């Protein structure tokens, strides 16, 4: 595994860097870090919410501490409870994983104040990189190219319109506190600008509690290319080459690879140098990722820095042979980097596919359920980092990403073949997953050619539907639930009924279209009787936006649900009058539960 870095001074097993680490996370990443701890003879402490009392990470750890009820703010986002758990279990250090509190500077600070080591960068670096506008300003100062943009304080008035004209449409409205693709709006003309700014602000306020937004020139057909960096606390900063993560849905990555098929040696050198400068500019320590977008001409621009371990870190581990989780732990323990830049090489090609509990044929609607059977692929060059095993439950409370499959081979074509064989072999019964869709992505001729821009999915696979298999089984089950409920509710309604229209708010595609998906079984409006609108998946009602008796237009948002970190819009399938409102804010609804009755 460590080809090319034979000069490394390897970690000595006699003296573990810490005695005990608490992992403030769940799912596959918690399992990944627990495994790293075990290898280093460090005791691993898991924390869990009531929904995860039997979860994989809870089972794997040497000790587990209950945090509280399932909602993240009462469990995995609750700083006091996590620190209390670390104190109670006498942990020397906390690893935050990714997501949750991993990029929360206040958390890092609170951990350090409690006399516990935070396995991550200094709070100041997190804070600087946490604001996209502040990070842009620091990068400009340091000479790292940023996307042309506009971010005055305050952001308002005629200046905004003029700036958008100067940048040239299309422009992108972005949330300063952004993350997870939230709060982004592509704007193609001045007529759309104020609405886009307002929508972005609303979304940002809800998602981040901060409604500041800014403008960026929208780069057409870009590639997302990022560099892994590693820095110790003695001023040594190196990079571990790039990952290309252009295959995205809702601005979120689903397939990543290293090296990037777009890369040339010259571009690699320039981007790597910029990544190291970026990390140094904020006094970065530990593992981090500098993200860029590159346009068709090869010009590249800084997007942001992720101040944590990335989901896709495993492809870098595959091509460099360096264990990033272990490196994070050793650096946090104060070790000096035990190898230099020239010791790191890229060997072969690695691809990662993110396995989600979701239905790609239905606008990637997340799915929940019990994993009836999980059998992971096993073959040379394949690694599976999973957060679930047979019998585990995927609930509405957390992210629907359940596993990652990483394939490593000598060549890109070999890695694609290996990945396809691994995905074909991966059995996950009981849930709707995106595995068939991932296979469609990697087997697409454009993917084989390396034509991977961020628009890949909408360009080639927007009409994708699975042939036979899993989908038909789940599909028939769905319509059964739907029709039974609808018939019960009203004999006048057509038996196939309506499923609630769902649109992922904050998930506008790169082209700025608001996704508005009704299920494919949506019936035509018959002009009489009532229709029952049902929940297409379980979730919690965040807001009910109409009252009984209201007239509504086709497509109007009637309510907002929340499930698996996403806001799901309940839209009217046709114009009509709200006959009955059967839900209230805060209520948890089940799949197939009637939410509204809508009359003509
Ligand atoms: P987030 O922090 O919400 O993930 P990023 O700034 O990292 O947001 O961007 C996420 C994705 O959105 C990028 O990978 C790219 O696909 C797209 N994107 C972001 N900025 C631009 C831009 N200026 N032009 C075109 N696409 C962009």
């Amino acid at each position: 595994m460590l080809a090319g870095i034979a000069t490394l001074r390897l970690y000595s097993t006699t003296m573990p860097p810490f005695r005990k680490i608490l992992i403030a996370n769940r799912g596959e990443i918690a399992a990944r870090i627990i495994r790293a701890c075990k290898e280093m003879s460090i005791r691993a402490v898991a924390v869990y919410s009531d929904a995860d009392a039997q979860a994989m990470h809870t089972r794997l750890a040497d000790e587990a501490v209950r945090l509280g009820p399932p909602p993240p703010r009462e469990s995995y986002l609750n700083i006091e409870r996590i620190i209390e758990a670390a104190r109670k279990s006498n942990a020397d250090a906390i690893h935050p994983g990714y997501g949750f509190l991993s990029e929360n500077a206040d958390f890092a600070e609170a951990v350090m104040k409690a006399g516990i080591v935070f396995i991550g960068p200094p709070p100041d670096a997190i804070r600087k990189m946490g604001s996209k506008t502040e990070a842009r300003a620091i990068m400009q100062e340091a000479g790292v190219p940023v996307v042309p943009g506009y971010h005055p304080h305050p952001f308002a008035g005629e200046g905004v319109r003029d700036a958008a004209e100067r940048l040239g449409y299309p422009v992108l409205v972005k949330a300063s506190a952004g993350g997870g693709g939230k709060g982004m709006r592509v704007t193609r003309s001045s007529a759309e600008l104020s609405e886009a700014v307002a929508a972005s602000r609303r979304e940002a306020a809800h998602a981040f509690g901060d409604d500041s937004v800014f403008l960026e020139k929208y780069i057409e057909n870009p590639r997302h290319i990022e560099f892994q960096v590693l820095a110790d606390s003695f001023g040594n900063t190196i990079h571990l080459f790039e990952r290309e993560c252009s295959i995205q849905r809702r601005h979120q990555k689903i397939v990543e690879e290293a090296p990037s098929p777009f890369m040339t040696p010259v571009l690699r050198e320039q981007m790597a140098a910029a990544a190291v400068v970026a990390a140094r500019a904020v006094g970065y320590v530990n593992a981090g990722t500098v993200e860029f977008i590159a346009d068709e001409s090869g010009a590249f621009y800084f997007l942001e820095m992720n101040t944590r371990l990335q989901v896709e870190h495993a492809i870098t581990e595959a091509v460099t042979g360096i264990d990033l989780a272990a490196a994070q732990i050793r650096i946090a323990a104060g070790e000096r980097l035990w190898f230099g830049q020239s010791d790191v090489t890229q060997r072969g090609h690695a691809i990662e596919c993110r396995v989600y509990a979701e239905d790609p044929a239905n606008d990637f609607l997340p799915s929940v359920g019990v994993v009836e059977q999980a059998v992971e692929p096993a073959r040379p060059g394949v690694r599976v980092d999973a957060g679930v095993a047979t019998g585990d439950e995927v609930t509405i409370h957390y992210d629907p990403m359940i596993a990652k499959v990483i394939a490593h081979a000598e060549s890109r074509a070999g890695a694609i073949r290996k990945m396809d064989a691994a995905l074909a072999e991966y059995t996950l019964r009981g849930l709707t997953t995106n595995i068939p869709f991932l296979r469609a992505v990697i087997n697409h001729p454009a993917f084989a050619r390396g034509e991977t821009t961020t628009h890949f999915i909408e360009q080639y696979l927007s009409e994708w539907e699975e042939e036979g298999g899993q989908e038909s089984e789940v599909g028939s089950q769905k319509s059964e639930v739907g029709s039974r409920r609808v018939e019960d509710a009203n004999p006048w309604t057509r038996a196939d009924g309506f499923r609630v229209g769902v649109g992922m708010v904050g998930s506008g595609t790169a082209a700025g279209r608001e996704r508005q998906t009704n299920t494919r079984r949506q019936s035509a409006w018959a002009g009489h009787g009532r229709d029952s609108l049902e929940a297409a998946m379980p979730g919690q009602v965040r807001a009910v936006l109409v009252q009984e008796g209201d007239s509504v237009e086709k497509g109007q948002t009637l309510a907002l649900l929340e499930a698996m970190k996403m806001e799901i819009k309940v839209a009217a399938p046709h114009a009509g009058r709200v006959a009955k409102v059967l839900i209230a804010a805060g209520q948890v609804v089940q799949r197939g539960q009637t939410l509204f009755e809508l009359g003509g």
Side-chain angles (χ1 to χ4, degrees), residues 52-99:
D52 282 338
Q54 305 298 326
M56 180 185 271
H57 76 282
T58 312
R59 298 194 301 263
L60 271 181
D62 298 304
E63 293 170 40
V65 183
R66 176 185 176 268
L67 290 176
R73 65 183 173 282
E74 294 179 63
S75 51
Y76 302 104
L77 283 177
N78 193 302
I79 296 179
E80 294 78 39
R81 285 187 203 171
I82 289 170
I83 290 177
E84 180 53 33
R87 279 218 181 93
K88 229 169 43 193
S89 56
N90 276 318
D92 320 300
I94 294 182
H95 194 306
Y98 56 67

Side-chain angles (χ1 to χ4, degrees), residues 188-212:
R188 297 202 172 262
S189 71
S190 61
E192 297 169 10
L193 187 63
S194 52
E195 175 47 35
V197 169
S200 177
R201 275 199 196 283
R202 271 200 306 275
E203 225 166 273
H206 181 80
F208 315 111
D210 172 0
D211 75 348
S212 2

